[in-house]
Amino acid sequence: MSFRVKTHQSIASIDANDWNACAIPLNGPYQPFVDHRFLLALEQSGCVSEETGWQPSHIEYKHNDETVGLVPMYLKNHSRGEYVFDYAWAEAFYRAGRNYYPKYQVCVPFTPVTGARILVKQTQAKEEIESSLIQKIIDLTDDTGVSSAHITFLTQSEWSKSKLAGLLQRIDLQFHWTNEGYDSFDEFVAQLTSKKRKNIRRERRDVKENNLHIEWLTGSDLQEQHWDAFYEFYLETSSRKWGSAYLNREFFSLVSTTMSERILLILCRRAKKYIAGALNFLGDETLYGRNWGCIEHYPFLHFEMCYYQAMEYAIKTRLRSLEAGAQGGHKFARGYKAQPTYSAHYIANAQFRAAVARFLAEEVKYVHRDLDFLESQSPFRERTLSILEGDAAKTVHDV
């Protein structure tokens, strides 16, 4: 097939319908973070810009006059807001007298959520276009003299295709909650071990005893006053965790104006004063927890707002899963299960590429070890072990 390739310095220069025709599959679950509206709000608000170190460099692939493929890509002069850490690689480049930055980053900024990164319209040539776009990322890296290109939180299918193109592969872990068709939160809790059940009930009881009121807001219920309150909470948490906020106040207004039907804002108030909030985005099958903050401290309020309320919402609306972002030992103890996440990396310099490949070969051993350990420590009452007694598997009941 004959293609034309163009690189865009703003997603605004790409037609929203053309973008979403590639980003949102007709036969697949909707993913809010590759929606044109979400990425446009990041750019229009200035959260993503050359000034913040996120210069849009989106790739558009056209066949005749039809957009058939897209890549959300950014030229970056730092590694913040990515959640796949390569600071050690940058340091190694620096010590060798080379520059690691700028680099290309294919991702959704500030969003450690797995989803499509090579966006291709449904067509018989889909696989050919995907392979061509991955190769285009490599070619652009080489042609512009950029040190490297990184595709983060891509799907397992895209990850496999990237290996065929010669990209280095990396795995990490996140913790996701699965709705096993529960009719209530109590039914879910009943599946956990006795100790875990008692802990969760104690944490929830503590919140109730403090007379805190929790609200679910979505769609037209979302008002500017709610975003004013939430932004204060977000800034408070951002200053404690990483020193500066990635998102500004305008972003929340923009994204609420254009896609409020895909937002769930959970707010907590004491009397008439809002004191905490948790921001979630809605897919067709998954609830994505993104940001949280508070201005008054209560010991277990974070767990209530970010996990238990989100679980209750997912159960009520029949969503299949809940993803609450990076990190997560505390999530595991509350019924979340470890899931692999994937990234792919192209290092232009052959010597550094070989060094990074050796590092990744060692790192993956530790990731698999962690996964095996977590699977052996399930918080659920019943788990099947890989121990065979005769022809039957041994089932362990933890009460």
Side-chain angles (χ1 to χ4, degrees):
M1 297 179 70
S2 176
F3 293 102
R4 289 186 295 113
V5 182
K6 184 177 181 180
T7 302
H8 294 263
Q9 303 304 302
S10 170
I11 195 173
S13 65
I14 303 173
D15 182 82
N17 292 325
D18 289 343
W19 181 282
N20 284 344
C22 297
I24 303 173
L26 296 175
N27 59 346
Y30 171 83
Q31 220 275 13
F33 305 113
V34 291
D35 190 314
H36 189 275
R37 296 174 294 176
F38 183 86
L39 296 170
L40 181 64
L42 287 174
E43 293 186 22
Q44 287 184 331
S45 63
C47 298
V48 167
S49 66
E50 185 175 4
E51 289 71 27
T52 62
W54 289 83
Q55 174 59 57
S57 302
H58 307 307
I59 299 173
E60 183 181 28
Y61 231 39
K62 283 198 169 188
H63 178 233
N64 297 328
D65 290 328
E66 180 185 11
T67 300
V68 294
L70 293 155
V71 177
M73 189 163 78
Y74 304 86
L75 185 65
K76 293 200 65 194
N77 59 22
H78 57 72
S79 292
R80 296 188 296 275
E82 298 169 6
Y83 304 94
V84 176
F85 303 110
D86 61 353
Y87 295 107
W89 305 356
E91 178 67 17
F93 268 61
Y94 175 76
R95 290 182 178 181
R98 296 176 178 269
N99 293 321
Y100 188 67
Y101 305 111
K103 64 174 185 175
Y104 281 125
Q105 191 77 24
V106 178
C107 69
V108 176
F110 324 123
T111 308
V113 174
T114 295
R117 298 294 177 261
I118 311 299
L119 313 178
V120 178
K121 199 170 186 177
Q122 294 296 327
T123 170
Q124 290 182 338
K126 187 174 188 294
E127 291 194 5
E128 177 186 343
I129 297 169
E130 286 177 337
S131 298
S132 296
L133 284 169
I134 293 172
Q135 186 59 50
K136 184 60 182 176
I137 295 168
I138 295 171
D139 292 343
L140 273 174
T141 304
D142 289 336
D143 293 345
T144 57
V146 172
S147 74
S148 54
H150 310 265
I151 311 175
T152 50
F153 295 100
L154 71 172
T155 66
Q156 187 174 13
S157 173
E158 292 171 325
W159 188 67
S160 298
K161 289 184 176 67
S162 71
K163 182 178 181 179
L164 297 176
L167 274 68
L168 304 178
Q169 295 188 294
R170 195 175 192 182
I171 300 177
D172 203 350
L173 297 178
Q174 278 188 352
F175 293 86
H176 300 167
W177 180 79
T178 302
N179 181 4
E180 302 289 356
Y182 303 120
D183 288 326
S184 67
F185 185 85
D186 286 340
E187 184 179 344
F188 154 67
V189 174
Q191 308 306 310
L192 302 176
T193 63
S194 176
K195 182 178 180 180
K196 298 297 188 293
R197 293 197 302 270
K198 290 177 181 177
N199 284 343
I200 290 175
R201 287 167 178 161
R202 176 174 60 87
E203 290 170 356
R204 302 206 77 183
R205 185 168 60 249
D206 184 87
V207 172
K208 290 181 179 179
E209 289 174 352
N210 280 290
N211 295 318
L212 302 177
H213 178 75
I214 294 175
E215 303 173 3
W216 294 349
L217 300 169
T218 189
S220 59
D221 292 335
L222 291 163
Q223 304 294 322
E224 287 299 298
Q225 64 185 19
H226 301 128
W227 293 117
D228 287 339
F230 177 75
Y231 189 60
E232 182 182 2
F233 312 148
Y234 169 70
L235 289 180
E236 173 64 22
T237 297
S238 298
S239 64
R240 285 189 283 106
K241 290 181 68 175
W242 53 75
S244 61
Y246 294 137
L247 303 173
N248 59 28
R249 176 63 181 83
E250 185 180 1
F251 166 77
F252 295 106
S253 289
L254 288 171
V255 79
S256 182
T257 298
T258 57
M259 54 189 302
S260 62
E261 82 284 358
R262 291 292 180 176
I263 295 173
L264 169 67
L265 183 61
I266 301 174
L267 290 177
C268 175
R269 58 181 170 83
R270 178 179 50 77
K272 295 182 179 181
K273 180 183 179 182
Y274 286 119
I275 63 166
L279 174 62
N280 305 265
F281 284 81
L282 293 160
D284 287 340
E285 299 179 346
T286 302
L287 181 65
Y288 301 96
R290 286 304 305 117
N291 306 106
W292 132 271
C294 65
I295 56 173
E296 292 185 10
H297 175 71
Y298 293 91
F300 307 112
L301 186 57
H302 171 256
F303 302 140
E304 179 68 30
M305 296 288 289
C306 296
Y307 306 142
Y308 307 144
Q309 288 293 321
M311 289 175 183
E312 287 202 342
Y313 184 89
I315 291 169
K316 181 177 180 180
T317 57
R318 298 297 178 184
L319 292 172
R320 295 176 58 184
S321 59
L322 170 61
E323 298 185 23
Q327 304 173 342
H330 51 286
K331 298 171 189 171
F332 180 75
R334 291 163 177 82
Y336 284 66
K337 298 177 182 179
Q339 300 289 334
T341 59
Y342 305 98
S343 60
H345 309 268
Y346 175 68
I347 310 295
N349 181 281
Q351 287 181 306
F352 278 106
R353 184 163 63 246
V356 171
R358 290 192 295 270
F359 167 81
L360 294 176
E362 288 299 313
E363 182 186 57
V364 73
K365 297 176 185 178
Y366 294 97
V367 175
H368 284 298
R369 184 193 65 182
D370 289 346
L371 183 59
D372 290 342
F373 174 77
L374 289 166
E375 288 179 347
S376 74
Q377 300 295 313
S378 171
F380 289 88
R381 293 171 56 203
E382 181 177 298
R383 64 182 186 272
T384 302
L385 303 178
S386 56
I387 302 173
L388 295 181
E389 295 182 344
D391 295 326
K394 181 181 178 183
T395 300
V396 176
H397 296 271
D398 294 320
V399 180

